[in-house]
Amino acid sequence: MRLTTRLVLGASALALVTALPAFAQEEADDGTRKLSTVTVTGSFIQGTPEDAALPVDVLTAGDLKLEGQPSITELIRNLGPSSGVDGQTNQFSSNGLEGTSNINLRGLGPARTLVLINGHRQTYHPYSIGEQAQLFVDTNNIPTAAIGRIEVLKDGAAALYGSDAIAGVVNFITNRDLDGFEVGGSFSTFDGSDGDYDLSAAYGLQGQNFSWVTSVGYNKRSEVLLSEKDWAVLPYDQNPVGGWSSLSNPGYYVPLGVTATGLGPIGGAINDSGCEDVGGIVVAGTCRFQFTNYDNLVEEEERYQIFSEYNRNLSNGAELHFELLYAHSDVPTWKTSPSYPPQSLTKQVLLASHPGFQQYAADNPGAFPAGTIGALFIGRTFGWGGFPGTGGAQEGYRTSETWRGSGSYVGDFDNGVHYDAALSYSSTESERLTNDTYIVGLTSALRGFGVCTDPNTGFDPATGTVPYAPGYSGTLVAGAGTCEYYNPFSNGIIQSGVTGAPNPNYVPGLENSVTLADWMTDGSVTIAKTDLLVFDGVLSGESNVQAAGGAVGWAAGVQVRRESYKVDPSDLTDLTVTPGPGGTGPYSFLAGTTPADEDQTIYAVFGELQVPLYDNLNMQFAVRYEDYGGDIGSTFDPKVAAKWDVTDNFALRGSAQTSFKGPTLNQLGGVGTTLQFISAASAFKAVDTFGNPALKPESAFSFNLGGIYEVNNFFASLDYYNFDFSDPVIVEEQSNIVNAAVAAINAGDFDNPILTRITFNDPAAVPAANQISRVRTNITNGPDIQTSGVDLRLQHSWDMSNNAEFSVGADGTYIIEYKVDPYFVEGLPIGGGDYVGQFNRGNFTRSMPQWKANLFANYALGGHNFRVVMRHIDSYKDERAPAARGGVGAKIDSQTTFDLFYNLQSEMLGGFDFGLSVVNVTDEDPPFAAFDVNYDPYTHNPFGRTFKISLTKRFGGSGN
């Protein structure tokens, strides 16, 4: 799979933003830069000519050095064609994906960009993007020290590579040429951070007929609280949806008494009078809680990576290649709200005999009306006072372990036919724990039977019965012995969990103990695993057929890949073991899930021709047949591409192809839960997403047209792309489902099928919008999507009289359209429109600024290199209704930042590289967005001015 083409000095800027197609650079033996050639992704035919029609960008390890060795996350975020990627902490939309990173070309979704390592597939991360149910390759597993270059094919490539290559291909190619030993490290910091550091070591042994290169990486990120940034935790009046919830602790209470129909409300809601004393605010008569006070901007992360490859040239001229990768990622203390809002409030009843109730009534005479015998508590278990076990945030963890082994045997038969056979296996196992409150445990503790009963069933262990149920004959007494009351009132809060300020209303003895809090709370745990086994076999060569421009090249191959997907929930999370009182599991917020153990085998055959019709016109033809079997079926995808050298300096290129992607195994079954803001309820609620075994495959038709102009040291390219996407697998949009349900409620249409998608706090009561407790969405085949845009690349360089070189360049991507048709849920039309230039929080896509641009200037003199980069992201609108965004943030402003880089490469002391960088020199805050963290984590860098220093030391070589 290669195409060769020249690289002019200084052609590439960081993260491919200014990388010109197929340009690279390397160092000569004397330390000076020289022209070189590279091979790039896009063809299986050996010796593909450099004038092939492939829109490929290339970034080398040398380019990374010139911009301070950025993380993979930042590298991807700065890509012009990239839009809406994960990589920063973002539990409010990319829930559970902390510590991962992915690539999203053309905004079509991370699952629709194929990621390769040395030309071969890598298994998915086993946890999907919650709001899209898309599995993706975690690029954080790839050690930066092992990267030789990165190649981005910005074109549909299913005809060559098969499923997933709808938006394009990103190929990480490792460095097999290292000779000697290198050690390196970097330290970066910004305001509010204790600093992040990377350590690496690499050893390369180059023999007469073999090479062996091993790289080791260690990455450590320090925890940074959101509150370290003054823009990240805002008052209610500046952003009502900035982490504010109407379900608080302290909360409010509905007095209960004897009515004509039995026990029921006998008065209006009573707000806890101690709300403001512990940090809350009162809005519309109820206490509001800001959970983002407990969340992180950056989670503590620790990552280890090892990559080793061995290459040997055999006596028959063939080459043997083996590689092994291991990566471990750990987020040991993932921080979140002290508790989540309960999804069913009707069981949160406490009696007037409750000690906290009695104290509150005594301190607030007349607060409860005469005849009150109890109250319904409306709120969460822990809030402004923090979680008793930590004094602040609730904590969980996320861990991940990846293995990869790959081997290939490559050579030529006597007749000149090239063969390439490869077998690759990769596996990722991840575990995550998120704590939540037991539904029954809370009910029991409100009655005074906390700790002494089973929190899942409410049973007295001695009798197997519930002590507060009629007919109980055991010995347990509320609040006596080992039994404890849970106190929801503010008089049980010792101090603010945010500021540490003492609570003037606290009454000693009424606090909730650590033992009780731990008993009421438990971890929802899942272990998920993906495996991928792939065999690739390719033959290629030159045919005897001669076109006017030369011999026709050909390639033919087969691929067999076996994918597996497993989910192993803990017994408490497994709905087949613990269905819970409502069938969604034992927890008040997080739904359980079911075990999964699925696999599928996919077979493919493909072929390719390179036809030099004339000396100045080269054509590429490719076809692929891929069979998923079963209900998913098969597909036949052709591709045609051409490049016409109109003159020596100007060329036209274009391509057209169909693409295909089958549903991944996680999309065909199971259930997952995400936390999403429901504007009608003014709170975060659980959104349950169910798999769909009847999913159809996705398909797309795309084409690309472009021009290239190159003269002397000037290069320019302009490409137009167009994708027409059918049957994309999506998750139904909860916001539109809720809006349709609210419209039905307001119209009195309580039999509308859309209401079957909503669970209300009291299913027996008349549905009300503010009583929504959870929403059901399905994974389904969604509406047609059509997107188009243009990519621009410019560069010019000058040789200076002092043997220095000065170069400038620019690149930009402009999205012309991203049109989405409506689709139907329970017979009602949902969504639709042009989603470009939008935040897209109300639909299944991601934020999509209309254009991004980058400018750079570079000055190189001897071993010194100076670079400045300007990055610009266009403004975009928040398309949601004012109520959904709190009446603020109708527009997300544009952002322009400047980065400075200095790099020294010296042969002193045996050879070393020194780098110094300042990212975001002017310390720009990210633009405000009406979101929980007050910015768009898919698009903008939130860290402000960041300083980084790096050093790499080289120690000799083998001399062979």
Side-chain angles (χ1 to χ4, degrees):
M1 292 173 282
R2 48 171 162 252
L3 163 73
T4 58
T5 175
R6 296 183 303 116
L7 170 66
V8 177
L9 166 66
S12 179
L14 175 66
L16 309 178
V17 266
T18 54
L20 300 184
F23 279 7
Q25 65 183 32
E26 64 180 29
E27 305 298 321
D29 293 338
D30 60 0
T32 61
R33 293 180 178 84
K34 66 175 184 179
L35 298 177
S36 67
T37 61
V38 297
T39 57
V40 297
T41 303
S43 175
F44 287 104
I45 298 174
Q46 293 291 302
T48 300
E50 63 184 54
D51 59 351
L54 301 171
V56 179
D57 286 345
V58 178
L59 177 68
T60 69
D63 299 324
L64 292 174
K65 286 183 180 180
L66 295 183
E67 294 195 10
Q69 296 283 14
S71 68
I72 296 293
T73 298
E74 286 306 312
L75 178 77
I76 293 165
R77 186 178 300 275
N78 291 327
L79 281 170
S82 178
S83 178
V85 299
D86 297 281
Q88 306 298 352
T89 295
N90 183 12
Q91 62 177 280
F92 305 107
S93 49
S94 297
N95 185 250
L97 300 182
E98 294 79 14
T100 67
S101 178
N102 53 44
I103 303 172
N104 183 7
L105 294 181
R106 306 301 186 198
L108 292 175
R112 299 181 183 108
T113 297
L114 178 63
V115 176
L116 305 175
I117 299 177
N118 288 327
H120 298 289
R121 286 175 176 257
Q122 170 70 9
T123 192
Y124 299 121
H125 183 75
Y127 288 115
S128 67
I129 297 169
E131 294 182 17
Q132 298 181 357
Q134 292 186 6
L135 296 178
F136 59 90
V137 174
D138 180 10
T139 55
N140 274 344
N141 289 329
I142 304 168
T144 304
I147 294 174
R149 66 182 183 274
I150 304 169
E151 304 171 353
V152 178
L153 175 61
K154 303 173 297 181
D155 199 11
L160 290 170
Y161 297 102
S163 184
D164 300 350
I166 288 180
V169 180
V170 177
N171 190 4
F172 291 84
I173 299 176
T174 56
N175 177 17
R176 61 165 60 187
D177 299 323
L178 177 65
D179 189 13
F181 182 54
E182 289 186 356
V183 292
S186 68
F187 177 81
S188 62
T189 188
F190 57 88
D191 186 29
S193 171
D194 290 334
D196 302 339
Y197 55 88
D198 298 332
L199 300 174
S200 65
Y203 176 72
L205 180 62
Q206 302 293 326
Q208 291 183 351
N209 62 350
F210 74 92
S211 67
W212 179 30
V213 180
T214 298
S215 303
V216 179
Y218 173 76
N219 315 107
K220 175 72 173 181
R221 298 188 77 182
S222 300
E223 177 183 279
V224 180
L225 294 171
L226 272 174
S227 55
E228 292 286 350
K229 297 294 186 180
D230 55 11
W231 50 262
V233 181
L234 295 178
Y236 183 88
D237 59 352
Q238 294 184 34
N239 186 9
V241 297
W244 291 95
S245 174
S246 60
L247 289 175
S248 175
N249 182 285
Y252 60 98
Y253 312 89
V254 177
L256 303 176
V258 178
T259 68
T261 58
L263 183 67
I266 59 172
I270 299 166
N271 191 57
D272 193 309
S273 62
C275 170
E276 294 174 323
D277 290 323
V278 294
I281 63 170
V282 178
V283 178
T286 61
C287 188
R288 299 298 171 104
F289 170 60
Q290 192 174 30
F291 47 81
T292 48
N293 283 285
Y294 297 96
D295 293 316
N296 283 334
L297 179 68
V298 179
E299 301 292 346
E300 178 186 356
E301 294 180 24
E302 196 169 29
R303 186 175 297 109
Y304 308 87
Q305 305 143 325
I306 302 173
F307 182 86
S308 184
E309 67 174 291
Y310 177 79
N311 302 282
R312 175 173 285 274
N313 295 320
L314 304 178
S315 59
N316 63 354
E319 181 183 86
L320 195 62
H321 168 86
F322 295 103
E323 66 184 55
L324 181 68
L325 180 147
Y326 171 77
H328 177 82
S329 176
D330 186 22
V331 180
T333 53
W334 173 72
K335 300 292 180 66
T336 188
S337 174
S339 70
Y340 295 131
Q343 301 305 297
S344 180
L345 303 169
T346 58
K347 302 296 184 181
Q348 297 185 178
V349 175
L350 64 158
L351 302 179
S353 58
H354 188 293
F357 185 106
Q358 293 180 339
Q359 183 68 52
Y360 185 86
D363 292 339
N364 298 272
F368 289 93
T372 298
I373 61 174
L376 179 66
F377 166 55
I378 307 296
R380 64 181 71 208
T381 50
F382 304 105
W384 284 111
F387 181 71
T390 64
Q394 184 72 261
E395 296 180 356
Y397 64 78
R398 282 88 171 92
T399 64
S400 179
E401 189 172 67
T402 295
W403 289 93
R404 172 186 172 88
S406 181
S408 64
Y409 185 69
V410 180
D412 296 292
F413 294 115
D414 291 340
N415 61 1
V417 173
H418 182 79
Y419 58 85
D420 186 339
L423 185 67
S424 302
Y425 173 78
S426 54
S427 172
T428 296
E429 181 174 284
S430 295
E431 180 176 352
R432 63 186 186 190
L433 178 148
T434 305
N435 286 300
D436 198 7
T437 304
Y438 282 106
I439 298 171
V440 175
L442 174 57
T443 300
S444 299
L446 283 167
R447 299 293 187 91
F449 293 100
V451 182
C452 61
T453 58
D454 186 307
N456 180 32
T457 63
F459 291 164
D460 175 355
T463 65
T465 57
V466 178
Y468 47 91
Y472 172 68
S473 58
T475 60
L476 296 181
V477 177
T482 58
C483 296
E484 296 186 26
Y485 275 100
Y486 162 69
N487 182 11
F489 291 92
S490 59
N491 52 36
I493 298 175
I494 300 174
Q495 63 185 26
S496 168
V498 178
T499 65
N503 174 21
N505 302 308
Y506 165 62
V507 176
L510 293 182
E511 69 275 5
N512 294 303
S513 70
V514 173
T515 300
L516 175 67
D518 289 342
W519 175 87
M520 290 173 58
T521 306
D522 213 335
S524 177
V525 181
T526 57
I527 299 174
K529 183 178 182 180
T530 54
D531 291 276
L532 176 64
L533 179 65
V534 184
F535 170 76
D536 293 292
V538 181
L539 298 175
S540 65
E542 283 191 356
S543 72
N544 294 324
V545 178
Q546 291 287 321
V552 174
W554 63 274
V558 298
Q559 183 182 81
V560 180
R561 61 183 190 269
R562 183 183 183 275
E563 302 174 348
S564 69
Y565 172 75
K566 297 179 182 179
V567 177
D568 183 19
S570 64
D571 285 348
L572 288 170
T573 308
D574 188 342
L575 292 175
T576 65
V577 177
T578 311
T584 59
Y587 301 115
S588 63
F589 185 86
L590 298 173
T593 190
T594 54
D597 189 354
E598 306 290 342
D599 64 77
Q600 63 182 357
T601 302
I602 303 156
Y603 301 90
V605 295
F606 53 89
E608 180 191 359
L609 295 176
Q610 289 280 356
V611 183
L613 288 179
Y614 301 99
D615 289 340
N616 63 346
L617 178 60
N618 189 72
M619 301 285 295
Q620 179 193 41
F621 302 92
V623 293
R624 185 180 180 106
Y625 174 80
E626 192 157 290
D627 186 8
Y628 275 73
D631 295 332
I632 297 176
S634 61
T635 181
F636 179 82
D637 292 296
K639 176 173 183 175
V640 59
K643 184 179 180 186
W644 175 30
D645 292 316
V646 182
T647 70
D648 290 340
N649 304 117
F650 178 64
L652 295 174
R653 66 185 177 190
S655 65
Q657 57 270 312
T658 63
S659 301
F660 171 93
K661 177 174 170 54
T664 49
L665 292 169
N666 69 302
Q667 296 172 334
L668 299 173
V671 58
T673 302
T674 58
L675 327 178
Q676 299 185 39
F677 185 78
I678 308 298
S679 59
S682 298
F684 264 76
K685 297 294 181 179
V687 177
D688 303 318
T689 300
F690 288 80
N692 181 358
L695 288 174
K696 298 183 294 183
E698 307 174 337
S699 62
F701 171 75
S702 61
F703 65 91
N704 183 90
L705 299 172
I708 303 169
Y709 181 75
E710 185 173 9
V711 58
N712 298 324
N713 290 332
F714 176 76
F715 180 94
S717 68
L718 180 67
D719 288 283
Y720 169 82
Y721 66 87
N722 187 293
F723 289 84
D724 197 344
F725 201 15
S726 299
D727 296 318
V729 176
I730 67 166
V731 175
E732 296 167 337
E733 302 160 356
Q734 63 82 8
S735 60
N736 286 319
I737 291 174
V738 170
N739 290 341
V742 170
I745 292 171
N746 292 339
D749 183 10
F750 300 122
D751 294 325
N752 194 306
I754 199 68
L755 295 180
T756 63
R757 298 300 193 92
I758 308 295
T759 300
F760 295 92
N761 289 326
D762 185 357
V766 175
N770 62 356
Q771 295 299 306
I772 293 173
S773 66
R774 62 193 318 129
V775 182
R776 172 176 177 143
T777 61
N778 294 328
I779 300 173
T780 188
N781 288 107
D784 290 349
I785 300 172
Q786 184 168 351
T787 181
S788 63
V790 293
D791 295 325
L792 174 67
R793 301 283 185 271
L794 299 169
Q795 186 201 307
H796 191 46
S797 60
W798 296 267
D799 294 324
M800 314 296 286
S801 59
N802 58 351
N803 293 322
E805 183 187 81
F806 179 68
S807 57
V808 295
D811 86 289
T813 295
Y814 182 88
I815 306 173
I816 298 171
E817 62 181 353
Y818 197 99
K819 293 181 178 178
V820 179
D821 290 344
Y823 65 101
F824 292 85
V825 176
E826 306 296 343
L828 296 177
I830 296 293
D834 192 346
Y835 290 173
V836 70
Q838 293 188 171
F839 192 20
N840 292 323
R841 287 300 304 148
N843 57 60
F844 60 82
T845 56
R846 289 187 167 184
S847 49
M848 197 176 299
Q850 187 149 42
W851 64 280
K852 297 165 63 177
N854 303 272
L855 305 175
F856 82 93
N858 193 88
Y859 180 79
L861 176 63
H864 302 274
N865 198 90
F866 303 87
R867 182 183 292 265
V868 59
V869 180
M870 185 189 82
R871 311 188 195 279
H872 180 82
I873 300 174
D874 188 23
S875 63
Y876 47 107
K877 65 182 179 181
D878 190 330
E879 76 288 352
R880 295 173 294 173
R885 50 181 169 78
V888 299
K891 177 184 176 183
I892 299 170
D893 290 336
S894 63
Q895 184 184 41
T896 301
T897 59
F898 294 88
D899 304 337
L900 297 177
F901 305 94
Y902 168 72
N903 189 73
L904 170 64
Q905 182 170 312
S906 173
E907 296 307 316
M908 295 176 59
L909 305 176
F912 70 90
D913 295 331
F914 171 78
L916 182 65
S917 62
V918 184
V919 173
N920 192 355
V921 173
T922 56
D923 198 22
E924 300 296 320
D925 291 337
F928 171 77
F931 189 51
D932 302 274
V933 290
N934 295 303
Y935 85 106
D936 177 6
Y938 290 134
T939 302
H940 297 110
N941 184 325
F943 303 138
R945 184 187 297 116
T946 302
F947 298 92
K948 184 174 183 179
I949 186 171
S950 61
L951 180 66
T952 300
K953 178 69 177 70
R954 299 184 293 276
F955 298 90
S958 66
N960 292 325

